[in-house]
Amino acid sequence: MEPLSAVIQRMMKDNPVLAKRMSDVRESLASNPIEIMTIPSDECPYKKCDGKGWLWIKDWSRLGKKDEEDENGKLLRAEWMEQCKCYEQLVKQREVDKKLDLSGIPPIFSDATVRSYDVNRYRSANSQGIATMAKKAAGNYVNNYEAMKKHGKGLYLYSKVKGSGKTRLASSIANALVKTYGIDIAFIKSGDLIAQVYKTMNKKSETTRSDIIETFRKVELLVIDDLAIKDSTEYEEGIFYDITDYRLEHKKPTIFTSNVTIDELEKVYPGGRVNKRINKMAMEIYMPEESIRDDEADSENAELEKLLFR
Ligand SMILES: Nc1ncnc2c1ncn2[C@@H]1O[C@H](COP(=O)(O)OP(=O)(O)O)[C@@H](O)[C@H]1O
Ligand SMILES: [Mg+2]
Ligand SMILES: [Zn+2]
């Protein structure tokens, strides 16, 4: 059988255009033998790699040659992988995603931002005014987090009415803090926190009360949703005392949402120690006394009805 090289030579002799092109390619490879083989995509902010942070690179001048070291001990290879400029951002992004995943922020609010907190969703002008203030405070809290952290200051989002946006706003603040500062967050409903401690009383449980307490004492930012949602036993009060007392002492910021004011906490935690701690460690923000939950359900139903009856 005729060898391949002979076939190519014969083809080039018969086809001068092909021959010219082959020699152009050879020349350009000789002057610039390094080629990025990875196909660039819009997913890379620099449009260099395929969005995964790595570049596959070929040195055509070393094609078919064995890897060897040059006189400076540098390894010469025919192909290798190299980090794209976007790699470090990508790693940071993955860390942020992981932190958000582990944070306990309610999944329905995983995309909630302070910016998308819509003050026009409230009907009364009074509510809109209060919402505007709350939104501003939330944004300022995020922007000034370093200063807040230095003083261990958190927030206390309060409104009596359910569905007025407390959990949503607290989630947006938490999202922003993780994204901006890469901090570790634990977001938990007060009832779930208590339940976690009670679960440790099970003989089979491998975690203890103090394991749970320790976790919520130490985490950089803690969000307790629905504090004092129901009456509390002395034992439960002790759990919140142990956590808030430590966080106050160690200047660790905590964000609370509640449907009772800080002053009224004394009725739920009669020991009087929890509200005194919280008074020092969090700034009270009033939320509108207006539910937009119903509104939302109404418009959602209207949308779905359109699908059903069209
Ligand atoms: N300002 C807002 N902009 C957009 N949606 C909002 C806003 N405030 C609340 N919501 C929506 O209203 C519902 C109730 O909010 P939520 O935070 O659970 O209230 P709360 O914690 O005060 O009971 C949620 O579905 C939330 O997405
Ligand atoms: Mg809530
Ligand atoms: Zn890239």
Side-chain angles (χ1 to χ4, degrees), residues 207-245:
T207 43
T208 63
R209 175 188 189 273
S210 61
D211 290 337
I212 307 284
I213 302 282
E214 205 61 5
T215 304
F216 294 111
R217 278 179 159 183
K218 295 272 167 76
V219 68
E220 187 165 347
L221 183 95
L222 173 63
V223 184
I224 301 183
D225 194 24
D226 280 337
L227 184 74
I229 191 91
K230 59 180 192 56
D231 284 342
S232 168
T233 65
E234 214 171 293
Y235 180 80
E236 293 165 4
E237 181 172 349
I239 295 170
F240 288 113
Y241 174 76
D242 285 350
I243 293 170
T244 51
D245 183 57

Side-chain angles (χ1 to χ4, degrees), residues 152-195:
K153 281 285 177 205
L155 299 171
Y156 191 96
L157 308 184
Y158 157 79
S159 76
K160 219 180 266 330
V161 169
K162 247 190 173 181
S164 68
K166 298 181 285 293
T167 303
R168 190 201 181 279
L169 193 59
S171 301
S172 343
I173 297 169
N175 281 330
L177 291 174
V178 180
K179 283 183 189 150
T180 318
Y181 304 101
I183 63 174
D184 285 319
I185 282 195
F187 189 115
I188 187 148
K189 281 193 177 302
S190 70
D192 291 345
L193 199 163
I194 297 290

Side-chain angles (χ1 to χ4, degrees), residues 44-55 84-87:
C44 170
Y46 303 102
K47 301 195 178 22
K48 266 188 97 178
C49 72
D50 56 2
K52 298 202 173 71
W54 288 94
L55 296 168
C84 174
K85 260 202 280 183
C86 74
Y87 180 81

Side-chain angles (χ1 to χ4, degrees), residues 4 51 72 97 130 189 234 253 261 270:
L4 188 61
N72 302 318
D97 288 348
I130 293 169
K189 281 193 177 302
E234 214 171 293
T261 63

Side-chain angles (χ1 to χ4, degrees), residues 261-288:
T261 63
I262 297 180
D263 275 347
E264 289 165 350
L265 280 175
E266 207 168 349
K267 287 185 216 148
V268 184
Y269 305 115
R273 300 188 299 170
V274 173
N275 68 317
K276 283 204 189 98
R277 301 278 171 307
I278 292 179
N279 200 16
K280 284 187 195 156
M281 62 202 279
M283 294 171 285
E284 206 160 22
I285 294 180
Y286 285 85
M287 297 287 289

